Amino acid sequence: MKKNKINYSKEHKKYLKQIKIDKFTTLVAQVLLLVAIVGLWELLTYVGVLDAFFISSPSRMINELVELFKDGMLFYHIGVTLYETLIGFLIATVLGTLIAIILWWSRKLRKILEPYIVILNALPKIALGPVIIIWVGAGTGAIITMCILICIVITTLSMLSAFLECDEDKISLMRSMGANKFQILVKLVIPNALTEFVSVLKINVGMSWVGTIMGEYLVSKAGLGYLIVYGGQVFQLDLVMASTLVLCILACVMYLFVGLLEKKVRKHKE
Amino acid sequence: MDNYLQLKDISLSYHTKEGEVLALKNIDFSVKKNEFVSIVGPSGCGKTTILSLISGLLKPSSGEVLLDGEKITKDTSIGYMFQRDNLFPWRTIYKNVTIGLEIKHQKKDKESLSHVDDLLNKYGLHDFKNSYPSQLSGGMRQRAALIRTLCLKPKILLLDEPFSALDYQTKLSVCDDVHSIITKENQTAILVTHDISEAISVSDRIIVLSKRPATIKCIQKIEIDRALTPLKRRESPEFSKYFDLIYRELTSEKK
């Protein structure tokens, strides 16, 4: 790549420069937007146009976080929520994919279960909250169950459709070489669905946070969702806003990780 | 070996909710060892169905298919080439080519592996062993697809319009390429195509099918020097004569 650089024409250099400028101005605008929002928020609450009691303010959020950190509670709450989310995310992804494999394998089972899956998908899972608490108990288990329920149906449906989309010609090719169903699954259908799998991971990153926070709203004694609910109940908007901010950052980091994985997988796409 | 492959009075019906469709009727022909036979016919007449029957992917409603005197089973070694190369984009060329050995659990068999190396060397893909399909041209990819089937030492090669997805220039050169490989490897091949010129340029015999339900209208022997490449065969004086004959057979409406 470096060798070619010398041979670039003036026009091409200009073109490359334009791309760089474009990228840079977008980034600057993005940063400015953030600074403007934070600054305006701080300013308006400082001069009293807006009531910091109702909408908090950036400085108060930071103070709140520092206080939590000093008490040693910040990372405790983050840890609880992160644990619930990751476990829920993993179980839902693995289990959902396994169910999809079983449904791919048996056409008959797929036909039989189809209406039930459609209903399960349409059902707002939060409605099952009381049932989950009674069955699993009001604790971490219930939160993780909620998280799994929210992720698993969409995982199964997306993976199943990815498996079924596999090219018929490629399956015939495998069969003409004497492949059995298991070989077709492992050597063709699953690797073929890898890109879709990464998309499912991306969806599940978002969904698992939704599930966990919903679960925490219902039953928790700790975690970011708990802090938000608690903060709301005692009218401490600083706590609510600060916790939401932390949640934002955590979800972003998790999304970035999946993004890295995606880059690796997409390398050899047709 | 006059009857290497035999199709004996084959009929096949498709069953759909709307009813039963007779796709093939009394198909009866045989192919000699090392022979190159083409099947031409109007689109949708069931050419590909015949290949599916020979490969054992479909079972006939009546009649039987014999290869080398035996019934086709799951373990019969058949090479199948499709319209698209169907290389797996996530595998390197080498891993694509050896997938058949993987399936048959011969991945550690020294003899098979040296055969693979031979083929890759002979047909100029050795330097691209570790490349991915997306890095190869359409012609090279189709060659890799052919080598993939040859690795299993198939008893017969079935070619289902393998050139029709390529542009015209590439098509001609890939056709030359594939034909010369098949000849060198002493393979028996059946090509399904709707392109009359293509069929004449590669075949020893051409089977002309009628509209659905497909029956054999005629079997035309092509007597152009086999040593010539398909491209050269296209230039031979008999070529247009054969073209006329087959074109007339295809378009005539007699039942």
Side-chain angles (χ1 to χ4, degrees):
Chain A
M1 281 302 249
K2 262 187 187 157
K3 232 192 238 166
N4 291 338
K5 217 170 187 175
I6 310 158
N7 301 330
Y8 284 165
S9 68
K10 234 183 196 163
E11 199 182 350
H12 191 70
K13 275 184 193 153
K14 207 172 151 193
Y15 167 79
L16 290 178
K17 203 171 173 189
Q18 194 57 48
I19 292 179
K20 264 191 195 159
I21 290 174
D22 200 37
K23 225 176 159 181
F24 181 71
T25 49
T26 308
L27 185 70
V28 168
Q30 283 167 339
V31 173
L32 279 181
L33 187 64
L34 183 69
V35 171
I37 291 173
V38 172
L40 209 61
W41 191 356
E42 187 64 42
L43 184 74
L44 290 180
T45 46
Y46 182 76
V47 299
V49 177
L50 294 170
D51 190 348
F53 182 70
F54 282 111
I55 66 159
S56 186
S57 77
S59 58
R60 291 174 68 145
M61 281 159 69
I62 295 196
N63 278 338
E64 187 66 43
L65 286 176
V66 172
E67 286 302 315
L68 274 173
F69 180 72
K70 276 185 189 155
D71 294 344
M73 293 311 275
L74 180 61
F75 286 107
Y76 169 67
H77 288 293
I78 288 179
V80 168
T81 301
L82 202 58
Y83 167 78
E84 291 158 351
T85 308
L86 286 178
I87 297 284
F89 172 81
L90 283 176
I91 294 179
T93 309
V94 172
L95 211 61
T97 308
L98 278 180
I99 296 172
I101 288 174
I102 293 168
L103 291 177
W104 173 84
W105 192 281
S106 167
R107 198 181 121 88
K108 190 76 190 170
L109 192 64
R110 193 160 74 228
K111 284 247 149 67
I112 294 170
L113 292 183
E114 202 185 344
Y116 298 99
I117 295 173
V118 169
I119 291 168
L120 261 184
N121 188 37
L123 177 77
K125 263 63 78 178
I126 185 78
L128 296 173
V131 180
I132 294 172
I133 293 170
I134 292 167
W135 287 355
V136 188
T140 311
I143 298 167
I144 294 174
T145 309
M146 177 58 79
C147 176
I148 293 170
L149 270 180
I150 285 185
C151 299
I152 199 165
V153 184
I154 192 81
T155 305
T156 301
L157 286 177
S158 312
M159 287 318 294
L160 180 61
S161 82
F163 291 154
L164 291 176
E165 256 168 36
C166 189
D167 191 0
E168 279 299 323
D169 268 5
K170 287 197 170 93
I171 293 176
S172 294
L173 172 84
M174 292 288 281
R175 283 174 63 198
S176 80
M177 292 191 287
N180 57 35
K181 202 165 184 175
F182 181 72
Q183 286 174 320
I184 292 176
L185 174 72
V186 173
K187 292 187 195 300
L188 172 60
V189 172
I190 290 179
N192 191 51
L194 209 59
T195 14
E196 181 59 28
F197 184 68
V198 176
S199 314
V200 167
L201 288 186
K202 269 178 150 174
I203 295 169
N204 280 357
V205 168
M207 293 299 239
S208 62
W209 286 105
V210 173
T212 308
I213 298 302
M214 266 202 306
E216 286 187 350
Y217 281 6
L218 282 174
V219 298
S220 68
K221 295 184 184 66
L224 294 168
Y226 165 78
L227 287 184
I228 293 171
V229 173
Y230 174 78
Q233 282 166 352
V234 299
F235 240 85
Q236 221 188 312
L237 262 291
D238 299 340
L239 185 59
V240 175
M241 291 296 195
S243 309
T244 310
L245 179 68
V246 173
L247 209 54
C248 256
I249 295 167
L250 286 178
C252 266
V253 170
M254 199 160 151
Y255 197 83
L256 281 178
F257 271 113
V258 177
L260 284 178
L261 193 74
E262 185 181 28
K263 255 190 189 163
K264 268 204 158 142
V265 170
R266 278 206 193 276
K267 225 165 107 189
H268 297 296
K269 190 75 188 124
E270 226 160 354
Chain B
M1 284 299 261
D2 256 16
N3 297 322
Y4 184 61
L5 172 77
Q6 278 178 287
L7 276 78
K8 287 185 173 171
D9 202 19
I10 298 274
S11 295
L12 183 112
S13 309
Y14 280 120
H15 297 272
T16 63
K17 259 190 206 164
E18 284 69 37
E20 192 177 344
V21 185
L22 187 61
L24 302 175
K25 199 174 136 197
N26 307 99
I27 300 290
D28 195 302
F29 68 89
S30 58
V31 175
K32 292 190 215 87
K33 194 157 188 170
N34 300 343
E35 197 178 19
F36 202 130
V37 173
S38 288
I39 301 175
V40 297
S43 56
C45 76
K47 294 173 297 225
T48 301
T49 311
I50 294 182
L51 293 191
S52 299
L53 282 168
I54 299 172
S55 68
L57 293 175
L58 275 179
K59 295 268 169 286
S61 306
S62 69
E64 63 175 353
V65 184
L66 294 179
L67 179 61
D68 213 359
E70 286 167 27
K71 276 205 166 183
I72 307 273
T73 66
K74 215 179 146 277
D75 295 318
T76 315
S77 193
I78 306 274
Y80 214 128
M81 262 183 98
F82 297 84
Q83 191 172 355
R84 284 173 302 134
D85 52 63
N86 285 315
L87 296 171
F88 297 175
W90 58 88
R91 281 174 171 250
T92 61
I93 292 302
Y94 188 75
K95 292 204 101 187
N96 260 297
V97 163
T98 52
I99 191 166
L101 297 180
E102 253 176 62
I103 290 167
K104 303 237 178 225
H105 303 291
Q106 294 171 0
K107 198 68 200 278
K108 292 198 175 82
D109 184 40
K110 282 229 173 76
E111 200 186 322
S112 308
L113 287 181
S114 74
H115 182 222
V116 173
D117 273 336
D118 265 9
L119 288 170
L120 286 174
N121 267 326
K122 223 176 354 178
Y123 303 118
L125 279 176
H126 203 267
D127 293 342
F128 299 93
K129 251 171 97 160
N130 299 317
S131 307
Y132 285 87
S134 57
Q135 297 166 296
L136 266 62
S137 68
M140 298 256 270
R141 291 173 62 131
Q142 204 51 290
R143 199 189 299 171
L146 177 60
I147 291 175
R148 175 179 57 194
T149 67
L150 292 177
C151 281
L152 288 176
K153 300 188 177 146
K155 289 190 158 173
I156 192 163
L157 268 181
L158 307 175
L159 312 171
D160 192 356
E161 308 205 17
F163 313 122
S164 56
L166 303 165
D167 63 79
Y168 194 69
Q169 310 285 334
T170 319
K171 184 172 167 164
L172 290 179
S173 73
V174 173
C175 181
D176 263 17
D177 205 30
V178 168
H179 182 262
S180 88
I181 295 174
I182 289 174
T183 314
K184 268 187 221 160
E185 300 295 322
N186 292 320
Q187 283 287 340
T188 312
I190 299 182
L191 168 76
V192 154
T193 178
H194 57 256
D195 182 336
I196 304 173
S197 317
E198 186 178 286
I200 300 169
S201 73
V202 295
S203 318
D204 301 312
R205 275 190 303 152
I206 293 177
I207 296 170
V208 182
L209 294 183
S210 69
K211 271 194 298 207
R212 178 169 275 183
T215 53
I216 296 181
K217 270 191 162 178
C218 79
I219 298 182
Q220 180 63 50
K221 216 168 157 54
I222 307 291
E223 283 162 327
I224 308 177
D225 185 4
R226 231 202 130 158
L228 294 175
T229 66
L231 203 56
K232 284 272 181 301
R233 280 165 69 120
R234 281 176 191 259
E235 290 162 6
S236 77
E238 301 99 313
F239 189 86
S240 57
K241 182 192 90 187
Y242 285 125
F243 191 96
D244 258 14
L245 263 171
I246 288 163
Y247 183 75
R248 230 173 284 154
E249 276 297 338
L250 266 176
T251 46
S252 72
E253 276 303 326
K254 64 164 190 215
K255 273 270 163 174

